[in-house]
């Protein structure tokens, strides 16, 4: 009897320990400066049952680490072995920011940002930056802002008018500008091609439903994706939420999960957000 009770206690302890790091990254923004330093900004939603968060950090060196709740109040944390142990308490939102020089490297005139993450992220480039290469098709491009999908990603760029050096620097800059223009045009063309189905006709409802069965999704996620498909591939978050009967917070977390998996793209509107299929 005592052994049974001890086993139950151990099981409960393991469950609680497993839940210590439960959270959702709602946004990850990387702001790059001309000297290669990067400001990393996380916005995190702790799980309802979690009072602590263990957040692995990008880079090896961290400066000016700040952890706050959604109201700007400081939150206790401890930096340990490349991770932040955050004592989130009852905070609904946790914001983390710090600076690191470890995410960028320069070769000749070209800087490259290297990031490996399980979440999509947005890169804010310097105003004088010219993109010359991307490791993957971006989810969104707006001015000097590029949103990249999860994974091992890189963004290469040059700073216009800087670092030309001797020996034909002007010709090198002109070449990079041309290359950047061709890359952006090609990228947009490919994105449009993919949105139109990659040259193929849209699948039937039965085919799409069969695809969902082969993915690691729960029933609510399948119903949501099928509903969006029936609406022509795009619907408002509120519409989908009401159609499948989910509370607002639960639905919000679901859309974030689907976006991290690369299945949808959440588009911000003036009055409401929209969800668009990405596969």
């Amino acid at each position: 009897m005592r052994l049974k009770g001890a086993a139950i206690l151990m099981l409960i302890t393991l469950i609680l320990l497993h839940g210590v790091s439960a959270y959702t990254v709602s946004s990850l923004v990387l702001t790059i400066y001309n000297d290669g330093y990067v400001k990393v900004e996380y916005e995190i939603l702790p799980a309802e049952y979690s009072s602590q968060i263990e957040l692995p950090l990008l880079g090896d060196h961290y400066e000016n680490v700040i952890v706050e709740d959604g109201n700007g109040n400081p939150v206790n944390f401890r930096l340990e072995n490349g991770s932040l142990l955050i004592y989130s308490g009852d905070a609904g939102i946790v914001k983390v920011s710090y600076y690191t020089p470890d995410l960028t490297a320069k070769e000749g005139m070209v800087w490259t940002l290297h990031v490996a993450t399980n979440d999509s992220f947005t890169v804010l480039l310097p105003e004088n930056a010219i993109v010359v290469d991307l490791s993957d098709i971006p989810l969104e491009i707006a001015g000097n802002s590029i949103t990249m999908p999860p994974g091992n990603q890189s963004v290469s760029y040059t700073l216009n008018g800087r670092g030309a050096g001797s020996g034909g620097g002007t010709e090198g800059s002109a070449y990079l500008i041309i290359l950047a223009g061709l890359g952006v045009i090609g990228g947009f063309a490919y994105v449009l091609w993919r949105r139109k189905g990659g040259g193929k006709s849209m699948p039937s409802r039965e085919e799409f439903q069969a695809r969902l069965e082969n993915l690691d999704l729960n029933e609510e996620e399948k119903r949501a994706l099928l509903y969006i498909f029936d609406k022509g591939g795009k619907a408002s978050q509120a519409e989908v939420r009401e159609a499948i009967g989910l509370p607002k917070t639960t639905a919000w977390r679901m859309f974030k999960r689907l976006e991290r998996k690369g299945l949808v793209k959440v588009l911000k509107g003036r009055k409401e957000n929209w969800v668009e299929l990405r596969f």
Side-chain angles (χ1 to χ4, degrees):
M1 197 68 158
R2 289 182 179 177
L3 288 175
K4 185 177 180 181
I8 293 174
L9 180 60
M10 183 178 293
L11 179 61
I12 293 174
T13 302
L14 289 173
I15 292 173
L16 290 175
L17 288 174
H18 181 72
V20 164
S21 300
Y23 60 89
T24 300
V25 175
S26 62
S27 71
L28 173 56
V29 179
L30 308 179
T31 303
I32 305 178
Y33 296 91
N34 284 339
D35 60 0
Y37 261 76
V38 178
K39 183 179 183 181
V40 181
E41 297 175 279
Y42 284 94
E43 186 172 283
I44 300 168
L45 301 177
E48 296 178 1
Y49 55 84
S50 177
S51 61
Q52 296 181 17
I53 295 171
E54 185 177 356
L55 176 68
L57 298 181
L58 300 174
D60 298 316
H61 303 87
Y62 323 106
E63 301 176 15
N64 195 25
V65 180
I66 298 175
V67 183
E68 300 175 329
D69 64 14
N71 297 318
N73 300 313
V75 174
N76 291 329
F77 67 91
R78 186 173 76 247
L79 185 58
E80 190 174 272
N81 298 323
S83 295
L84 276 184
L85 183 59
I86 303 169
Y87 303 96
S88 55
D90 58 355
I93 298 176
V94 175
K95 297 182 178 181
V96 176
S97 66
Y98 63 93
Y99 295 84
T100 180
D102 302 326
L103 302 183
T104 59
K106 187 180 182 184
E107 184 174 350
M109 291 189 300
V110 178
W111 286 88
T112 300
L113 170 78
H114 295 282
V115 177
T117 175
N118 294 325
D119 303 287
S120 60
F121 61 95
T122 298
V123 180
L124 298 181
L125 293 163
E127 291 184 359
N128 57 332
I130 300 172
V131 176
V132 296
D133 192 25
L134 296 170
S135 58
D136 202 347
I137 299 300
L139 300 177
E140 184 177 356
I141 299 177
N144 66 332
S145 171
I146 301 176
T147 301
M148 297 294 291
N152 191 359
Q153 304 290 6
S154 64
V155 177
S156 296
Y157 61 94
T158 182
L159 299 177
N160 188 22
R162 295 178 180 266
S166 59
T170 302
E171 292 180 3
S173 296
Y175 171 75
L176 290 175
I177 291 173
I178 294 171
L179 178 62
L182 292 174
V184 170
I185 293 171
F188 276 120
Y190 184 76
V191 169
L192 291 174
W193 179 76
R194 285 190 62 183
R195 288 184 177 178
K196 292 180 179 179
K200 300 178 181 179
S201 59
M202 288 291 288
S204 66
R205 193 178 194 276
E206 291 73 18
E207 291 172 335
F208 183 77
Q209 195 166 6
R211 290 184 188 180
L212 297 184
E213 296 301 325
N214 294 325
L215 300 175
D216 183 19
L217 301 171
N218 60 39
E219 289 304 316
E220 290 174 344
E221 291 168 339
K222 292 177 184 178
R223 288 172 56 203
L225 292 172
L226 195 58
Y227 180 86
I228 298 170
F229 178 85
D230 291 338
K231 288 292 181 177
K234 184 177 179 181
S236 71
Q237 283 189 352
E239 186 181 359
V240 180
R241 184 178 73 245
E242 292 173 2
I244 62 178
L246 285 181
K248 187 174 182 179
T249 303
T250 303
W252 191 91
R253 294 178 187 275
M254 177 190 69
F255 292 131
K256 281 296 179 183
R257 288 197 305 272
L258 294 174
E259 188 172 37
R260 288 200 307 274
K261 292 178 180 180
L263 301 179
V264 302
K265 172 64 178 174
V266 177
L267 308 171
K268 294 184 178 180
R270 291 184 177 180
K271 295 183 178 180
E272 60 182 338
N273 292 345
W274 291 76
V275 187
E276 184 179 67
L277 293 178
R278 305 291 292 184
F279 73 108

